[in-house]
Amino acid sequence: FTNGLAATNAIAIGGPFLGGHVLKVGAMEDGQITWDNNPILTDFPSQFTMPGFGEVVYNGDGNLVDEAQSHLERHIVHVNLREVHVQVMRWNNHINVRITMKQISGQDGHCGNFNMIADDDTTEQITLRMGPMPQSESLFRNYVAPSPGKLLTVDDCPPHKQADAGQTCKTTQPNMRPEILHACIFDVCFAG
């Protein structure tokens, strides 16, 4: 569905942070919401308590990270842990994730290092710092190692398709900020 682009279809939260427990949230079509690989939140809306750690709430409340999806019904998982809030927007075949937390000294990861310097959070810089994740550290049962590919931009989308995508985005959300419109055009060009 992404025409070769990467998309997130599940997130796992776990390790020492959750006392060795693992919470996973997948896409609607082929994913589940699980606690230690046992299905939870099978009803919509619903909630689940992680004893000693916090709660997980599944409902339609929350702000989207991608306004291009705003016309769709919202299925949002809210993970409330101590000083961390993870919001997972579940779509048919992918998820979007927003993580809200205070900065931790030495923090780094595949989303960046939170030092407010965007230049050191490029894919190349993060890969240099983090390297590939060893399979032994994956919280998923099935591990698929990443494979490098061409990094596409809006410029790779044919002009007529860009124009159509722009019109679709403006019709869906007439008052998008320019950077959101640009991201929407990219999404529509390559992911439909």
Side-chain angles (χ1 to χ4, degrees), residues 19 24 28 31-32 37 41 72 76 83-84 87 90-91 97 130 145 154 158 160 166 170 172-173:
K24 296 178 191 171
M28 300 284 292
Q32 293 182 319
N37 293 316
L41 304 174
L72 301 173
I76 302 177
E83 296 184 22
V84 177
Q87 185 179 358
R90 299 179 77 207
W91 307 110
V97 179
M130 303 300 298
V154 170
H160 71 281
K170 289 175 186 174
T172 303
Q173 191 78 354

Side-chain angles (χ1 to χ4, degrees), residues 27-44:
M28 300 284 292
E29 281 183 359
D30 57 1
Q32 293 182 319
I33 305 168
T34 64
W35 176 252
D36 293 335
N37 293 316
N38 296 305
I40 61 169
L41 304 174
T42 55
D43 294 323
F44 181 82

Side-chain angles (χ1 to χ4, degrees), residues 135-158:
Q135 184 170 355
S136 62
E137 292 182 20
S138 176
L139 298 176
F140 294 102
R141 289 181 180 174
N142 299 320
Y143 178 80
V144 178
S147 58
K150 181 182 186 300
L151 183 63
L152 296 175
T153 68
V154 170
D155 295 334
D156 294 306
C157 182

Side-chain angles (χ1 to χ4, degrees), residues 108-111 122-135 137 143 145-146:
D108 206 350
H110 289 279
C111 294
T122 64
T123 300
E124 294 78 17
Q125 290 294 317
I126 293 170
T127 301
L128 284 173
R129 288 193 309 271
M130 303 300 298
M133 175 187 286
Q135 184 170 355
E137 292 182 20
Y143 178 80

Side-chain angles (χ1 to χ4, degrees), residues 45-80:
S46 57
Q47 65 184 52
F48 174 79
T49 300
M50 299 174 289
F53 301 104
E55 68 175 356
V56 186
V57 178
Y58 185 32
N59 59 34
D61 299 334
N63 297 319
L64 304 179
V65 297
D66 185 351
E67 290 300 319
Q69 306 281 15
S70 63
H71 64 286
L72 301 173
E73 182 179 359
R74 297 174 186 202
H75 287 260
I76 302 177
V77 177
H78 303 269
V79 183
N80 300 301

